[in-house]
Amino acid sequence: MNDLRKHFVVEPGSKVDLSRIDPGDTSRIGTKEEARKRLEDAIEIDGLQDRLFAEGQRALLIVLQGMDTSGKDGTIRAVFRATGPVGVVVTAFNRPTPEELAHDFLWRVHKACPRRGTIGIFNRSQYEDVLIGRVRKLAPAHVIEHRYNQINAFEDMIASSTKVLKFMLHISKDEQAERLKARLEDPRKHWKFDPGDLEDRGLWSDYMHAYEQVLSRCSTELAPWYVIPSDKKWARNAAIASIVRRTLEEMNPRYPNPDWDPEEFRVV
Amino acid sequence: MNDLRKHFVVEPGSKVDLSRIDPGDTSRIGTKEEARKRLEDAIEIDGLQDRLFAEGQRALLIVLQGMDTSGKDGTIRAVFRATGPVGVVVTAFNRPTPEELAHDFLWRVHKACPRRGTIGIFNRSQYEDVLIGRVRKLAPAHVIEHRYNQINAFEDMIASSTKVLKFMLHISKDEQAERLKARLEDPRKHWKFDPGDLEDRGLWSDYMHAYEQVLSRCSTELAPWYVIPSDKKWARNAAIASIVRRTLEEMNPRYPNPDWDPEEFRVV
């Protein structure tokens, strides 16, 4: 497959109009059968993660953002199905605790950044503070406004040891309706449903505008945003697995050379 | 398969003689082909973990201990290969940092305990402080002596919200020799080898004695130890997957009932 990164990346400095990106587009991925067969990306990610861990010098941070039901957990399961939990740390950012609120908005985020050698995955992230924060006016406008630059500066700083990839899981309002209905109909999915989700749904266009601000202002060379059409789960998973794999291949982590001579040791 | 727990558990209060437990024993597991085919344990663990997460009331803590090369990482990969990193947190306890040393020995352990709804896996644990701590005399004898009771009291406390399973991966000294040689011969495995491993190997019988103390004194109803014959990786993985599955089934986590009425909501 060709390098999907260039198709989905938000070019730094460009202006994003989400209404021009079709959430149902699968043209870059191929057929569902082809995508299903592409197990090799997940397997390659596993091997690359092992090298990253062995090298112990750099980290990878994957940020997942999207409207409710866009499939953040499902993406993690699919992309890291071969990798397992060793060396992969998932952090879900929910409503901040009183302790977190007593600090600046990046404090809890910084604490959760992956250590060298590991892959960190953020299910929601610092961007909530310019998404729900903006839409629901959880802070004064000038404070929110300042945060875009603060986030860029923060990501620039962690980029010294961490490769950052940010994915917006782009679904349509119609697709969300289907998925919310499924949650309401299946008792095993009730726990995933929060009546507040419907309020956010009512603010859909405000959220899309807030996402456009994020994508336009916070996609950088060191920490690019990718907009992933996500109405089709299989296309979403295939796109992200491919981009994660390519990124790790480019990082090219290496098994370290020991500071001892293997010839010197005898196991007795 | 019958309930393997009763075959491998250390009965609380019993005295363990590791020389009487054959690390190569596979008689409880069956043939390698049978074990390989038993994918269903890993798949069931995945489904049970989802229910545990949804319920959000209880945690599972899995402690893995064993001599170098006994396969702690490999066990995690195999047992949780279907589960993935969401809701599973692995903590490796290595040499304590200055900050950790400035606290009591359980401080860093407590911080790493799994939150309700999740599975925590400890690669090494509080038991290092009565294993290497005892063998290498890292603290005065009376301090080490006190720790067994302190660990029991600690585990009793966390057991109010957390089910605790402790596995000793029991390998033979001969099998360790093979695995260490493999590490020395494969450049991709050099990073796993530490010349200090050979020193620990030289203290094998001291370590076995320290393990026997641990197993005899710290296997409790609420936090039992299991001794898992681990010379055969496939038998080790099958035994632990089966015990984890049975334990989760017995915990029987349930999807919670919502505090709202599904009939009341319309997705528009």
Side-chain angles (χ1 to χ4, degrees):
Chain A
M1 191 181 284
N2 53 4
D3 192 342
L4 291 174
R5 291 180 296 181
K6 62 177 186 288
H7 296 300
F8 295 125
V9 73
V10 175
E11 287 298 337
S14 70
K15 226 166 146 42
V16 175
D17 178 351
L18 282 170
S19 70
R20 299 188 58 169
I21 302 176
D22 176 8
D25 179 27
T26 61
S27 62
R28 300 294 181 186
I29 307 299
T31 69
K32 187 170 180 175
E33 278 313 300
E34 284 165 356
R36 280 252 169 93
K37 280 184 197 144
R38 291 179 53 73
L39 284 162
E40 70 262 37
D41 280 332
I43 291 163
E44 287 297 320
I45 288 169
D46 180 34
L48 288 156
Q49 189 272 333
D50 192 60
R51 283 161 51 191
L52 189 75
F53 193 81
E55 184 193 75
Q57 297 298 314
R58 293 169 292 171
L60 174 64
L61 172 61
I62 295 169
V63 171
L64 298 175
Q65 285 284 164
M67 298 295 284
D68 290 318
T69 77
S70 61
K72 299 178 284 290
D73 277 327
T75 297
I76 300 169
R77 289 178 62 89
V79 174
F80 293 96
R81 70 187 151 201
T83 310
V86 176
V88 180
V89 179
V90 180
T91 305
F93 290 95
N94 297 314
R95 190 187 294 271
T97 66
E99 179 70 14
E100 289 167 352
L101 285 172
H103 295 82
D104 69 85
F105 77 105
L106 292 167
W107 180 78
R108 66 175 184 161
V109 177
H110 208 166
K111 279 211 298 184
C113 284
R115 61 185 295 166
R116 293 173 209 261
T118 70
I119 297 176
I121 305 171
F122 287 177
N123 180 336
R124 305 185 186 274
S125 67
Q126 59 270 27
Y127 288 97
E128 288 297 316
D129 293 281
V130 286
L131 289 166
I132 190 171
R134 181 183 175 113
V135 171
R136 291 182 178 267
K137 299 184 173 55
L138 302 180
H142 73 278
V143 170
I144 304 262
E145 187 57 30
H146 198 186
R147 285 179 182 162
Y148 299 97
N149 290 338
Q150 290 170 324
I151 289 173
N152 286 341
F154 173 74
E155 291 177 0
D156 179 74
M157 184 265 297
I158 64 170
S160 61
S161 60
T162 303
K163 178 75 195 161
V164 183
L165 296 176
K166 301 178 294 198
F167 296 102
M168 187 231 173
L169 310 186
H170 182 39
I171 57 169
S172 63
K173 198 173 176 186
D174 286 349
E175 176 66 19
Q176 192 196 47
E178 294 308 311
R179 296 184 187 181
L180 286 175
K181 282 177 197 161
R183 286 189 181 178
L184 281 168
E185 281 159 16
D186 182 350
R188 289 174 306 168
K189 291 183 173 172
H190 280 166
W191 66 280
K192 292 187 180 182
F193 180 83
D194 180 331
D197 296 351
L198 292 181
E199 289 176 38
D200 280 338
R201 180 172 169 77
L203 298 165
W204 190 273
S205 63
D206 291 343
Y207 272 104
M208 289 307 106
H209 183 64
Y211 268 106
E212 287 169 346
Q213 289 293 312
V214 160
L215 297 166
S216 303
R217 297 174 69 171
C218 297
S219 192
T220 61
E221 292 292 343
L222 288 170
W225 269 107
Y226 296 90
V227 179
I228 308 295
S230 297
D231 273 4
K232 304 292 181 199
K233 295 174 185 176
W234 54 269
R236 172 200 75 198
N237 295 342
I240 294 177
S242 174
I243 292 169
V244 170
R245 173 186 172 175
R246 282 298 182 111
T247 300
L248 281 165
E249 283 174 346
E250 213 166 77
M251 289 172 75
N252 193 21
R254 292 161 191 273
Y255 290 104
N257 291 318
D259 54 4
W260 41 267
D261 178 359
E263 301 294 324
E264 258 180 34
F265 293 96
R266 289 283 306 282
V267 180
V268 288
Chain B
M1 191 179 285
N2 52 4
D3 192 342
L4 291 174
R5 290 179 296 181
K6 62 177 185 288
H7 296 300
F8 296 125
V9 73
V10 176
E11 288 298 336
S14 69
K15 226 167 145 44
V16 175
D17 178 352
L18 283 170
S19 71
R20 300 187 57 169
I21 302 175
D22 176 8
D25 179 27
T26 61
S27 61
R28 300 295 180 185
I29 307 300
T31 68
K32 187 170 179 174
E33 278 314 299
E34 285 165 355
R36 281 251 167 93
K37 280 183 197 144
R38 290 180 54 74
L39 283 163
E40 69 263 37
D41 280 332
I43 291 163
E44 286 298 320
I45 289 170
D46 180 34
L48 288 157
Q49 188 272 333
D50 192 61
R51 282 160 52 190
L52 189 75
F53 193 81
E55 184 193 74
Q57 297 298 314
R58 293 170 292 171
L60 174 64
L61 172 61
I62 295 168
V63 170
L64 298 175
Q65 285 285 162
M67 298 295 285
D68 290 319
T69 76
S70 61
K72 299 178 283 291
D73 276 328
T75 297
I76 300 168
R77 289 178 62 90
V79 174
F80 294 96
R81 71 187 151 201
T83 311
V86 177
V88 181
V89 179
V90 180
T91 305
F93 289 95
N94 298 314
R95 191 187 294 271
T97 66
E99 178 69 14
E100 289 167 352
L101 285 171
H103 294 81
D104 69 85
F105 78 104
L106 291 167
W107 180 77
R108 65 175 184 161
V109 177
H110 209 165
K111 279 210 300 182
C113 283
R115 61 185 296 166
R116 292 172 209 263
T118 69
I119 297 176
I121 304 170
F122 286 178
N123 180 336
R124 306 183 185 275
S125 68
Q126 58 271 27
Y127 288 97
E128 288 297 316
D129 293 280
V130 285
L131 289 165
I132 191 172
R134 181 183 175 111
V135 171
R136 291 182 178 266
K137 299 184 173 54
L138 302 180
H142 73 277
V143 170
I144 303 263
E145 187 57 30
H146 198 186
R147 285 179 182 162
Y148 299 97
N149 290 338
Q150 291 171 324
I151 289 173
N152 286 341
F154 172 75
E155 291 177 359
D156 179 74
M157 183 265 298
I158 65 170
S160 61
S161 61
T162 303
K163 179 76 194 161
V164 183
L165 296 176
K166 301 178 293 197
F167 296 102
M168 187 232 174
L169 310 186
H170 182 39
I171 57 168
S172 63
K173 198 172 175 186
D174 286 349
E175 177 66 19
Q176 191 196 47
E178 293 309 310
R179 296 184 187 182
L180 285 175
K181 280 178 197 162
R183 286 188 180 178
L184 282 168
E185 279 159 17
D186 182 350
R188 288 174 306 168
K189 292 182 173 172
H190 280 167
W191 66 281
K192 292 187 179 181
F193 180 84
D194 180 330
D197 297 349
L198 291 181
E199 288 176 38
D200 279 338
R201 180 172 169 77
L203 298 165
W204 190 272
S205 62
D206 292 344
Y207 271 104
M208 290 305 107
H209 182 64
Y211 268 106
E212 287 169 346
Q213 290 293 313
V214 160
L215 297 166
S216 302
R217 299 174 69 172
C218 297
S219 192
T220 61
E221 292 292 343
L222 288 170
W225 269 108
Y226 297 90
V227 178
I228 307 296
S230 297
D231 273 5
K232 303 293 181 197
K233 295 174 184 175
W234 54 269
R236 171 200 75 198
N237 295 341
I240 295 176
S242 174
I243 292 169
V244 170
R245 174 186 172 176
R246 282 296 183 111
T247 300
L248 282 165
E249 282 173 346
E250 214 166 75
M251 289 172 75
N252 193 21
R254 292 160 191 274
Y255 291 104
N257 291 319
D259 54 4
W260 41 267
D261 177 1
E263 301 295 322
E264 257 180 34
F265 294 96
R266 288 283 308 281
V267 180
V268 289

